[in-house]
Amino acid sequence: MPGFDLFDQREIDALADVINRKMVHRYSFNDSRDGIYRVEEFERAVAERVGARHALAVSSGSASLYVAMKACGIGPGDEIITTPFTFIASVEAILECGAVPVLAEVDESLNLDPESVEPLITERTKAVMPVHMFGAAADMEAYGSLCADHGLSLFEDSCQAMGATYRGKAAGTFGLWGTYSLDPYKIITVGEGGLIVTDDEELYRRMEYYHDHGHIHDKSIDRGAEGKFCLGFNFRMSELQGALGLVQLSKLDGALARLKGIKRTVVDAVADLGLSRRVHADAEGDSATQIVFLLPDEASARRFQKASKEAGVGCGNLSDNTWHYARHWRTLAEALPDHCTVERPRTHAILSRTAVYGLSVAMTEEQVEKTVRAIRAGAAAL
Ligand SMILES: Cc1ncc(COP(=O)(O)O)c(C=O)c1O
C-alpha cells in the first residue's frame, strides 16, 4: 500500500524545485515567490479530486482530526461516538479537545456498526465519527440518517481512505468534514501530512485560522502585520510536502488500479474455496489496500493463520492488532478509568475471526501467486 513505493524522479524533481527556489514556507514571501504556492495548489487539487469545496493541508492526519474538531467547538462535556477498531489518533484527537470518546461496536464491514451507535446517544453527544478502515468506506447512508434523526454532526475519519468511494462519491465528503492522512503507510504519502475537506465555508475559515495561530492569511499584508482572528497553534504543512503531495496525488489513480487489480486476481483465484470476506458497504469503491477473510470462529482463524505462514505468507488476526484495536490501548483505559471500557464483545468476536493480508503496489506477480497459495493452505487447514 505505501505511497513511497511510487517514489521516482518526479518526487525528487519536485523537492529539488522547492529547495532551489528556497521557498519552503507556505505563507509569506509573497513578493518574491513568483506566485508559486505548492501547498495551495495541492489543496486545490485534492478538493477537486474528492469533490469538496475546500481542502486544508495540515501537518499530519492526527492534526487534521484535532484541527477539525477544535474548529467545530468540540470541548469538555462533549461526547463523540466512534469505533473501537481504528488508529488511536481518532480517540486521541477527541481527548485532546477535552471531550470523551464513546466506543460503539463494529459489524462485519469492520467499520462502526450504525445500530450500535443509537443506544449510546446522550444529551452530551455532539457527533458520530465513523472511520473508513483499511481503505473501504463505511455505510454513509446509515450514519447520515442517524445523525439527521438525532441532530448530531457527522464527522469522517477517512485518514486511511484516500481514493475510496461510497456510491461513486469520495469517502470523507459525506459528513461535515473528512480527513486524510499522508503518513508513510498510506496509499499516497508526503512523509508526514494530513488534509481536511469540507463544503462548509465558515468552518473551513475557522480551521484555516486555527491551524496557523489564528493568522488571517491576507497576501496583501505582511504576515507579521496581518493580525489574527483567534488563538490557534501550528499545524502548517510546508512547501516540501505540498510539492510532494502534488506528485503523489497524480499517481493515486495508478495506485488504485494496481491495488484493485491485485485484489481481483487473488479473490478470483481463491473463489472456489468459498471463504467469507469482510462485508463492503460499497465493494466497487474499496481502495483494495487489504483483503480480509472472515472465518467461522477464532480457532479456525488461528489454524488458517498458522498454515498461511507455513506456506510462506503471514496474515494478521485483527484481534491481535495493537495499533488498531482499542482493547490493547492500556493508555486509553488509564486516561478514562471510570468511563471507557475498551472491551467490546461483538467487536472482539468479529475481529478474532479475521485473517488479513496487506496488499502493495510493489507486489510482484510471484508474490501475488505466493499469497494465493498461502490462502489455499490456510483454507485447507480449516
Ligand atoms: C484511522 C486513522 N486516523 C488517524 C490517523 C492519524 O494519521 P497520522 O499518522 O498522519 O497522524 C491514522 C494513521 O494511521 C489512521 O489510520
Side-chain angles (χ1 to χ4, degrees):
M1 162 173 62
F4 58 70
D5 282 329
L6 304 166
F7 283 175
D8 60 23
Q9 191 61 38
R10 290 180 58 200
E11 278 84 356
I12 296 170
D13 291 346
L15 289 174
D17 171 63
V18 174
I19 292 165
N20 286 330
R21 286 185 294 103
K22 300 183 171 40
M23 207 49 77
V24 288
H25 199 311
R26 72 162 295 180
Y27 299 115
S28 327
F29 309 104
N30 295 314
D31 296 335
S32 52
R33 59 194 300 156
D34 296 331
I36 300 172
Y37 297 86
R38 293 297 183 224
V39 178
E40 245 180 71
E41 279 176 58
F42 181 43
E43 289 171 338
R44 277 198 301 273
V46 168
E48 190 179 328
R49 161 80 205 205
V50 303
R53 280 185 69 193
H54 300 284
L56 177 72
V58 291
S59 49
S60 68
S62 307
S64 66
L65 293 165
Y66 178 66
V67 169
M69 287 183 208
K70 282 298 267 192
C72 288
I74 298 300
D78 296 339
E79 292 179 356
I80 296 181
I81 303 175
T82 190
T83 165
F85 182 57
T86 179
F87 182 57
I88 197 164
S90 315
V91 301
E92 284 173 330
I94 299 168
L95 290 169
E96 283 300 310
C97 290
V100 172
V102 176
L103 304 182
E105 299 265 14
V106 303
D107 56 26
E108 290 193 353
S109 72
L110 306 184
N111 288 323
L112 181 62
D113 176 2
E115 283 182 17
S116 71
V117 171
E118 201 151 19
L120 299 176
I121 295 173
T122 70
E123 70 278 3
R124 291 179 299 279
T125 309
K126 286 289 176 317
V128 177
M129 184 170 75
V131 183
H132 306 284
M133 283 302 282
F134 290 178
D139 183 351
M140 295 319 294
E141 190 180 348
Y143 305 117
S145 30
L146 182 79
C147 288
D149 289 351
H150 292 274
L152 301 174
S153 295
L154 177 58
F155 299 163
E156 283 179 84
D157 181 342
S158 34
C159 278
Q160 297 191 3
M162 170 65 94
T165 56
Y166 174 77
R167 299 183 185 168
K169 186 168 154 56
T173 61
F174 291 84
L176 184 55
W177 50 258
T179 56
Y180 305 106
S181 163
L182 301 165
D183 79 17
Y185 303 100
K186 299 303 181 290
I187 189 165
I188 62 169
T189 183
V190 300
E192 296 288 354
L195 292 153
I196 313 165
V197 292
T198 183
D199 286 337
D200 187 314
E201 172 81 29
E202 197 197 319
L203 178 62
Y204 165 71
R205 289 286 157 219
R206 286 203 301 274
M207 291 173 182
E208 201 221 353
Y209 301 145
Y210 181 76
H211 102 292
D212 182 26
H213 306 293
H215 273 273
I216 57 169
H217 304 135
D218 180 341
K219 286 185 185 139
S220 69
I221 307 171
D222 177 72
R223 179 169 165 83
E226 72 182 354
K228 298 194 175 104
F229 179 81
C230 59
L231 285 174
F233 214 64
N234 175 7
F235 295 105
R236 291 187 304 265
M237 177 179 278
S238 87
E239 288 287 276
L240 289 163
Q241 277 111 357
L244 262 184
L246 278 164
V247 180
Q248 284 273 292
L249 189 65
S250 73
K251 297 179 176 181
L252 177 60
D253 281 332
L256 287 168
R258 174 80 186 127
L259 289 168
K260 288 180 185 205
I262 293 171
K263 185 159 183 176
R264 205 171 310 116
T265 302
V266 174
V267 166
D268 288 352
V270 300
D272 59 302
L273 301 174
L275 297 170
S276 295
R277 280 187 293 122
R278 170 190 190 183
V279 173
H280 284 289
D282 179 349
E284 283 296 302
D286 173 23
S287 64
T289 50
Q290 270 92 0
I291 299 179
V292 187
F293 294 101
L294 276 178
L295 301 158
D297 51 39
E298 176 164 8
S300 50
R302 297 288 177 196
R303 283 198 300 278
F304 184 105
Q305 186 183 30
K306 183 166 177 287
S308 176
K309 189 169 180 208
E310 284 165 4
V313 182
C315 60
N317 180 298
L318 291 174
S319 67
D320 300 334
N321 188 320
T322 52
W323 279 28
H324 292 129
Y325 181 21
R327 190 175 199 240
H328 298 290
W329 300 341
R330 183 184 45 78
T331 46
L332 173 63
E334 283 169 6
L336 293 175
D338 301 331
H339 171 84
C340 196
T341 163
V342 289
E343 299 289 339
R344 289 291 174 274
R346 278 196 289 137
T347 297
H348 192 72
I350 293 168
L351 297 185
S352 60
R353 293 197 283 124
T354 54
V356 55
Y357 295 85
L359 303 181
S360 156
V361 288
M363 278 175 95
T364 60
E365 297 311 313
E366 197 185 319
Q367 284 170 320
V368 172
E369 281 163 25
K370 210 169 164 190
T371 302
V372 169
R373 284 199 297 277
I375 295 168
R376 291 197 157 277
L382 291 177

